[in-house]
C-alpha cells in the first residue's frame, strides 16, 4: 500500500486505481478485525484517526496488531472529532488512545485533540503515529503524548511497554 500511495503521488497511477487497492485492503483488514475482536485479554485501547484524516489503513492495521496481541480494541476509524473522542474515552475508559495522522494539516489537528484527552483524562495514555511523523520527525517535539513508532509492529511493542508499566521508549 505504501508503494501504491507513492506511485499515486508520482502520478504513475490514477485515483481510481489507488482507491480500488485501498478499499480492497481495508475490507480484508476489517474482516480480520471482526475475527479477532472477541479474543481480548488485556486493557482497552482506542484507535482512530485525527480530525480530517481520511487515510485509515495504518490505524486499521495497528488495531489489528493490537487485537492479535490480546488488547481490547475500540476502532473508531477516520476523522474522529475531539468531542466524540472525549465521550468515547469517558464511556469505555481505555488505558491508551492511539490516533494517526498522515499529513501536516491533520497532524496540526491532532495537537488540540492530544491536549484535550490528556487534560480531561490524565490517567489515560495518549499516543500517536502516522506517515507525517515518519517523514518529519521534528513534528514529534510539538506533539503532546507519546510517539508510538514508525509502523504497527513498533506500535504494539511501545503500547505493550507503556501499558505494562515499563519505561517509555524514547522518541527518535
Amino acid at each position: 500500500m505504501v508503494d501504491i500511495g507513492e506511485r499515486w503521488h508520482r502520478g504513475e497511477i490514477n485515483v481510481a486505481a489507488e482507491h480500488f487497492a485501498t478499499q480492497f485492503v481495508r475490507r480484508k483488514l476489517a474482516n480480520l478485525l471482526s475475527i479477532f475482536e472477541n479474543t481480548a485479554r488485556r486493557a482497552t485501547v482506542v484507535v482512530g484517526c485525527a480530525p480530517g484524516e481520511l487515510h485509515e489503513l495504518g490505524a486499521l492495521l495497528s488495531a489489528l496488531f493490537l487485537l492479535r496481541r490480546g488488547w481490547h480494541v475500540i476502532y473508531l476509524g477516520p476523522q474522529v472529532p475531539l468531542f466524540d473522542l472525549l465521550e468515547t474515552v469517558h464511556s469505555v475508559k481505555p488505558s491508551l488512545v492511539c490516533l494517526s495522522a498522515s499529513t501536516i494539516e491533520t497532524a496540526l489537528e491532532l495537537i488540540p485533540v492530544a491536549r484535550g484527552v490528556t487534560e480531561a483524562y490524565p490517567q489515560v495514555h495518549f499516543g500517536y503515529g502516522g506517515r507525517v511523523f515518519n517523514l518529519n520527525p521534528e513534528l514529534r517535539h510539538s506533539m503532546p503524548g507519546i510517539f508510538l513508532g514508525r509502523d504497527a509492529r513498533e506500535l504494539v511493542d511501545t503500547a505493550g511497554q507503556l501499558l505494562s508499566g515499563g519505561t517509555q521508549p524514547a522518541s527518535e
Side-chain angles (χ1 to χ4, degrees):
M1 287 309 305
V2 171
D3 182 53
I4 288 172
E6 294 303 322
R7 290 178 65 202
W8 173 78
H9 280 289
R10 291 189 305 262
E12 296 171 9
I13 62 172
N14 65 26
V15 171
E18 187 271 336
H19 284 190
F20 175 78
T22 298
Q23 290 308 310
F24 177 81
V25 171
R26 194 192 73 62
R27 285 191 310 272
K28 298 298 181 189
L29 292 175
N31 285 336
L32 289 172
L33 272 182
S34 66
I35 289 170
F36 294 111
E37 70 185 347
N38 293 323
T39 62
R41 302 174 309 278
R42 299 167 102 175
T44 299
V45 179
V46 170
V47 178
C49 298
E53 182 60 62
L54 295 170
H55 298 92
E56 70 171 317
L57 285 186
L60 190 56
L61 190 60
S62 296
L64 180 60
F65 274 47
L66 287 163
L67 273 171
R68 293 277 296 145
R69 292 271 183 101
W71 300 101
H72 176 240
V73 175
I74 306 295
Y75 181 67
L76 302 179
Q79 302 190 73
V80 179
L82 174 59
F83 181 79
D84 296 355
L85 179 61
L86 292 175
E87 281 188 349
T88 301
V89 170
H90 178 75
S91 298
V92 303
K93 298 175 181 28
S95 298
L96 173 64
V97 172
C98 304
L99 294 183
S100 174
S102 67
T103 67
I104 297 279
E105 294 79 19
T106 56
L108 294 175
E109 292 288 328
L110 199 52
I111 293 171
V113 172
R115 286 188 182 129
V117 171
T118 56
E119 288 171 11
Y121 301 98
Q123 75 282 10
V124 175
H125 296 286
F126 182 87
Y128 63 92
R131 183 174 187 267
V132 69
F133 299 106
N134 296 344
L135 295 176
N136 305 287
E138 67 279 1
L139 287 175
R140 300 175 200 166
H141 301 295
S142 59
M143 260 314 290
I146 302 146
F147 176 67
L148 294 170
R150 293 177 294 265
D151 58 31
R153 285 185 202 113
E154 287 185 15
L155 177 139
V156 294
D157 290 340
T158 303
Q161 285 182 324
L162 188 62
L163 297 177
S164 69
T167 52
Q168 179 179 321
S171 294
E172 295 177 14

